[in-house]
Structures are given as C-alpha cells and as structure tokens.
Amino acid sequence: MEEKVKESGDWTARVNRNTLRLGYCTGAWLVTTALATFGPQFIWHDNTLLTASAIFINLAIGLATILANKHHLQSLDEMQQKIQLEAMALSLGVGFVCGLSYSLLDQSNLMAADAEISHLILLMGLTYLAGTVIGNRRYG
Amino acid sequence: MKNRLKVLRAERDWTQADLAAALEVSRQTINAIEKGKFDPSLPLAFKAARLFNMSIEDIFQDEAAA
C-alpha cells in the first residue's frame, strides 16, 4: 500500500505541475493578448514591426498554451476528464449555435451593433466555466 | 453499478484519500464511485481488484443483472 501511495504522490505532483504550467501559459497568453491589442495604440504608436512581433509572440504562446492544456487534460483522472469533456462539449455547442445566430443577426441588420468575436469567446468561456461547476456538483 | 469499495476500504481502515492515492485518482473520484455516481473504467476496476486481491466481480456488481 505504501508503495502504491508513493506512486500516487508522483501522480498528484504531476497533476499539480501540469496545472501550474497551464496557469502560467494562460497568464502569459492573456498578457500578450492585451499587449497585442492595446500596444499599437498606447505603447508603440502603430509601429508595424512591433505590432507584428507582438501578434507572433501571442500566437506562439497560444500554441504553447494549447499543448499545456493537452498535457493537463491527459494527467487528470478519468472522472475529471469526463467532467472536462462534457464542459467542452457544452461550450463548443453553445458557441457554435449562438455564434451562428449572432452572426446571422448581424448580417441581416437585425442588430444595431457589429458582431464581435470577443463576445463569442466570453460566452464560450462562461459556458465552459458553468459546465465544469455543473459537472463537479453532479459527481461530487 | 453497485460496488463494495466503501466496505473494503473500511475493513482496511483506509480513508478515501488513501484509496485515491493507491489508485492514482482524486479523492472526489473515489467518493463518486462509492456513491454510485460514476462508474470506473475497466482498467481502473482491474487496478482496484489487484489492490484488494479480489476479482472485479467481488467488488463491482451489475445492478441490471442482479
């Protein structure tokens, strides 16, 4: 039993390490997104090279975040993976259906404002959050 | 699916955290399995069977077949 618990200590440490790595990557991606969004206007006054660099760095860190998320999901146990899968399915479904309706409203001029991608990302993020809370409550 | 995990664990004086550690899953997962809210995969069921030195059928019972 003690040997099994020791092995599991490794598993717990691995999950914690992957979660922490995902947190760092997400934080870095958030910072570079803000930099690429607001930098051209407020920091380097539309310097094309700096703007392109900021977008490239943002893309590179975004790809690293995707990999970190993959490793994080793979390190979770099967019930945690199921909760994440159901939350992602909900988020993807809501994002796809509502995003298309949102776009159609914009195209048909039934909506005064222009459709913004940030609204869709916000909706998907909140749906994913709600999905994980619901999943944890269901199995908790 | 019914299971005897809680009884087997209590017989050995193990906590949910102890069993979770031995099976390399979270304590919440052990809690969900014991309450019948989550059915483990075959590999996890085999792992539990190996840990308790029992067959899978001695730990997990199909309610539909009962």
Side-chain angles (χ1 to χ4, degrees), chain B residues 23 41-51 54 56 60:
Chain B
L23 295 178
S41 66
L42 208 47
L44 183 56
F46 271 117
K47 206 169 180 179
R50 272 198 304 274
L51 181 69
M54 300 172 100
I56 287 182
F60 300 97

Side-chain angles (χ1 to χ4, degrees), chain A residues 42-139:
Chain A
F42 298 108
I43 303 174
W44 54 78
H45 307 293
D46 293 321
N47 181 311
T48 308
L49 181 66
L50 288 176
T51 302
S53 301
I55 292 170
F56 179 76
I57 290 167
N58 177 244
L59 179 66
I61 292 179
L63 293 174
T65 307
I66 292 170
L67 280 177
N69 190 37
K70 181 173 172 279
H71 289 139
H72 171 250
L73 289 173
Q74 284 174 336
S75 67
L76 296 176
D77 72 33
E78 55 191 58
M79 191 187 78
Q80 293 168 328
Q81 286 181 351
K82 187 177 166 68
I83 291 171
Q84 292 294 319
L85 177 70
E86 288 175 0
M88 284 188 278
L90 181 69
S91 174
L92 180 66
V94 168
F96 196 81
V97 171
C98 294
L100 199 61
S101 299
Y102 186 49
S103 172
L104 287 172
L105 280 174
D106 185 30
Q107 279 178 23
S108 55
N109 291 321
L110 288 172
M111 189 172 67
D114 287 334
E116 297 285 346
I117 189 82
S118 56
H119 295 162
L120 183 61
I121 291 169
L122 191 65
L123 174 72
M124 290 182 76
L126 290 174
T127 310
Y128 180 64
L129 184 66
T132 52
V133 170
I134 291 166
N136 277 299
R137 285 176 67 99
R138 181 185 299 157
Y139 297 111

Side-chain angles (χ1 to χ4, degrees), chain B residues 1-12 19 33-36 48 52 54-61:
Chain B
M1 190 164 67
K2 288 199 306 185
N3 67 78
R4 298 179 56 225
L5 275 188
K6 190 173 182 177
V7 174
L8 294 169
R9 182 170 62 75
E11 283 173 0
R12 287 155 181 80
L19 183 57
I33 294 171
E34 283 186 358
K35 286 182 175 175
F52 290 113
M54 300 172 100
S55 66
I56 287 182
E57 293 87 345
D58 290 334
I59 303 175
F60 300 97
Q61 291 89 35

